[in-house]
Amino acid sequence: MKVVIVGGVAGGASAAARLRRLDEKAEILIFEKTGFVSYANCGLPYYIGGVIQDKGELLLKTPESFWTRFHITVRVHTEVLSVNRHAKTVTVKDLTTGEEWDEPYDKLILSPGARAVLPPLPGIDDPRIFTLRTVEDTFRIHDFITASQPKSAVVIGGGFIGLEMAENLVEKGIAVTILEMQSQLMTTFDSDMASFIHNRLRQAGISLRLNTGAAGFEDRDGKIATLLKNDTALTADMVIMAAGVAPDSSLAKDAGLRTGIRGSIYTDDHMMTSDEDIYAVGDAVQVKHFVTGADALISLAGPANKQGRIAADNICGIDSTYIGSLGSSVIKLFDLTAASTGLTERAAKAAGIDCESVVLGPMSHAGYYPGAKALTMKVVFERGSLRILGAQIIGAEGADKRIDVIATAIQAGMQAHKLKNLDLAYAPPYSSAKDPVNMAGFMIENISNGLMKQYHAEDVDTLPRDGSVTLLDTRTREEYGRGHADGYINIPLDELRERLSEVDKARPVYVMCHSGLRSYIACRILSENGFDSYNFSGGYRFYESVYKEKLASDNLYPCGMEK
């Protein structure tokens, strides 16, 4: 059997290695049009920022190492131009010599990946405008920074690549402005959670221009000006174009293979295309979202690696299926970690799911052990069934392991309130006896059985201030004095029982504290004494971040101001 693989990196390289482990006699041939077949794609920004200093560390496998270990032939700088399905050949061009030939196959795996979106704007070909998808792109940016010593940069796009590049450019001493057409960065987060990302980037000195798109580029006195729609141009020394990616599916389209959303390559759950001898994996492939079952494009290394393995299994006669993607992801932003999995609340509602969420602010480990830092967690679940739909976690430490636990719970079909039952490792330097994941389960159970009613950040400003409801802040006087939501009176939790006469029992009581815990206790005291009470989901720390972002968006709050 001869298997030809178009493209390396995550999907193609993992498929090749799995094929060899399953079939020692198969002839395996990888064609890769760049100069590098297997590299740490997610590590590219960190070489530019100097975190990774040896470029060799980016290269996971070379053509030579593939042959030495696996007896797999790799041809780099070699582009597959077309697929002849009837003859079962691919037309190949050596980009170094210009030679072309037809290569036969028994089975074909397409792993072309995705290409950076480059909108057809005036001036887009300026050499100071860079994209970041390949190792060659990385070296170009690195060499430009080394040679030109830029002092300023515009990053267009607020997704993973845009934010990672922004952080690494700042670490190189470059002033950065991020341009984003949407109203928020990182759409894998709800806007309330994204406020923590926005505020941290502003604290790092990064200027955010949201709801703003580029209209073109031009040279101005040796610098590159990014022209904006209905706004003043931004002048800088370089531009990073990170406006998203699109499936690189032209080979499949030209070969007449079935395509999916946004021109992606359609496959079944065996990673087989509409041709039984052709498989496809990676960023160019349409998948099913694990939660909704809807068609999706999820460009992440983890799914690509799994898909490569699954394609190889099926080619070798092992029945292996891809169950869909949750889109679990994590990103480092200076001293913050931001992680997400599954659906946001926004996406769940758009999918027509009747959902609810809880927001909590637990510590990353036991508070009495030095170094504990606050996490902000949002867990989204379906009303009635209590199916977990997704989660978002942001904090200085511990976000990554908690998101992995919740991702596992989603795939296991666990109900949200049963997060309380998970037996998770505990020692004071690592967690608390009640892990934050357990705490989310407790909160959801209290909501589902009627022990707690809650309200959210978007409700605070709409609550009446005419005396028809009571707005109660149960933090200490010192905390209240440092800042509080408009209209809230202060009765510290430890004084509440003795001061219940100051609260009108005929009016609903909306309670807030710093993280949501003390206000929950206050709500239980109030409810047991006949009051109609509602706990604020997330606490004042959460509200402050959301409110600060609102002021910043309205240009009422100075960038970088400390909390």
Side-chain angles (χ1 to χ4, degrees), residues 425-444:
Y426 160 61
Y430 302 105
S431 185
S432 298
K434 296 177 182 176
D435 187 86
V437 173
N438 298 137
M439 293 299 295
F442 294 141
M443 291 175 65
I444 293 166

Side-chain angles (χ1 to χ4, degrees), residues 9 25 48 52 99 110-111 120 131 269 294 301 324 353 425 441 446 542 546:
V9 197
K25 296 181 180 180
I48 294 168
I52 299 171
E99 177 189 2
L110 301 178
S111 180
T131 59
D269 59 1
I353 301 174
N446 286 338
F542 182 70
V546 174

Side-chain angles (χ1 to χ4, degrees), residues 7-29:
V9 197
S14 64
R18 178 67 170 172
L19 281 166
R20 176 56 76 223
R21 292 193 295 271
L22 296 176
D23 188 341
E24 184 64 21
K25 296 181 180 180
E27 182 183 355
I28 305 169
L29 178 58

Side-chain angles (χ1 to χ4, degrees), residues 181-193:
M181 292 185 66
Q182 308 269 353
S183 60
Q184 68 168 83
L185 308 176
M186 294 298 294
T187 55
T188 51
F189 292 82
D190 284 310
S191 59
D192 49 12
M193 294 293 288

Side-chain angles (χ1 to χ4, degrees), residues 482-503:
R482 288 194 292 268
H484 55 270
D486 180 53
Y488 281 70
I489 63 171
N490 179 224
I491 301 178
L493 172 63
D494 293 341
E495 301 176 15
L496 181 59
R497 289 183 179 87
E498 289 71 32
R499 297 175 61 181
L500 283 176
S501 61
E502 299 176 31
V503 185

Side-chain angles (χ1 to χ4, degrees), residues 259-551:
T259 56
I261 57 174
R262 290 175 53 194
S264 58
I265 305 172
Y266 167 84
T267 66
D268 63 13
D269 59 1
H270 291 80
M271 307 315 300
M272 183 188 293
T273 69
S274 53
D275 185 317
E276 63 181 9
D277 292 319
I278 302 177
Y279 292 75
V281 301
D283 292 354
V285 170
Q286 171 183 293
V287 298
K288 295 293 185 183
H289 196 286
F290 183 85
V291 176
T292 64
D295 296 333
L297 281 174
I298 298 177
S299 300
L300 294 168
N305 273 283
K306 296 179 185 71
Q307 292 160 14
R309 179 186 177 94
I310 289 166
D313 283 352
N314 285 289
I315 288 172
C316 292
I318 298 174
D319 185 17
S320 183
T321 58
Y322 188 67
I323 63 173
S325 292
L326 274 174
S328 302
S329 62
V330 64
I331 185 172
K332 172 189 172 297
L333 299 170
F334 300 100
D335 57 353
L336 280 188
T337 298
S340 67
T341 189
L343 298 179
T344 60
E345 186 174 16
R346 177 184 61 251
K349 290 178 178 177
I353 301 174
D354 183 19
C355 66
E356 178 62 288
S357 66
V358 292
V359 179
L360 57 158
M363 303 304 286
S364 57
H365 60 250
Y368 61 81
Y369 187 88
K373 297 180 174 65
L375 289 166
T376 301
M377 298 177 58
K378 182 174 186 177
V379 180
V380 185
F381 60 97
E382 186 175 32
R383 289 192 179 99
S385 73
L386 298 184
R387 176 172 60 127
I388 308 171
L389 302 175
Q392 303 149 59
I393 309 177
I394 297 177
E397 62 177 39
D400 52 341
K401 71 174 182 177
R402 271 69 184 224
I403 209 70
D404 285 343
V405 170
I406 296 176
T408 303
I410 294 174
Q411 287 204 209
M414 183 179 292
Q415 290 177 294
H417 67 295
K418 292 185 178 179
L419 293 172
K420 67 173 187 171
N421 297 326
L422 291 176
D423 191 355
L424 303 174
Y426 160 61
Y430 302 105
S431 185
S432 298
K434 296 177 182 176
D435 187 86
V437 173
N438 298 137
M439 293 299 295
F442 294 141
M443 291 175 65
I444 293 166
E445 180 184 52
N446 286 338
I447 291 170
S448 66
N449 64 21
L451 274 179
M452 183 177 76
K453 294 184 288 187
Q454 62 176 353
Y455 65 110
H456 299 281
E458 63 267 24
D459 302 321
V460 173
D461 290 343
T462 62
L463 290 172
R465 264 68 174 178
D466 60 1
S468 58
V469 301
T470 299
L471 306 179
L472 178 61
D473 188 321
T474 59
R475 294 176 297 157
T476 66
R477 291 180 180 82
E478 292 75 19
E479 290 173 296
Y480 181 83
R482 288 194 292 268
H484 55 270
D486 180 53
Y488 281 70
I489 63 171
N490 179 224
I491 301 178
L493 172 63
D494 293 341
E495 301 176 15
L496 181 59
R497 289 183 179 87
E498 289 71 32
R499 297 175 61 181
L500 283 176
S501 61
E502 299 176 31
V503 185
D504 189 342
K505 189 175 290 189
R507 300 171 182 173
V509 185
Y510 290 83
V511 191
M512 182 183 290
C513 71
H514 182 69
S515 67
L517 177 58
R518 282 174 288 176
S519 53
Y520 163 64
I521 296 171
C523 283
R524 293 306 307 145
I525 294 170
L526 291 165
S527 295
E528 289 293 306
N529 282 277
F531 291 82
D532 183 20
S533 63
Y534 298 80
N535 186 34
F536 179 66
S537 181
Y540 181 76
R541 176 176 167 272
F542 182 70
Y543 171 76
E544 182 184 39
S545 180
V546 174
Y547 188 62
K548 185 182 292 186
E549 173 57 27
K550 180 179 183 298
L551 294 177

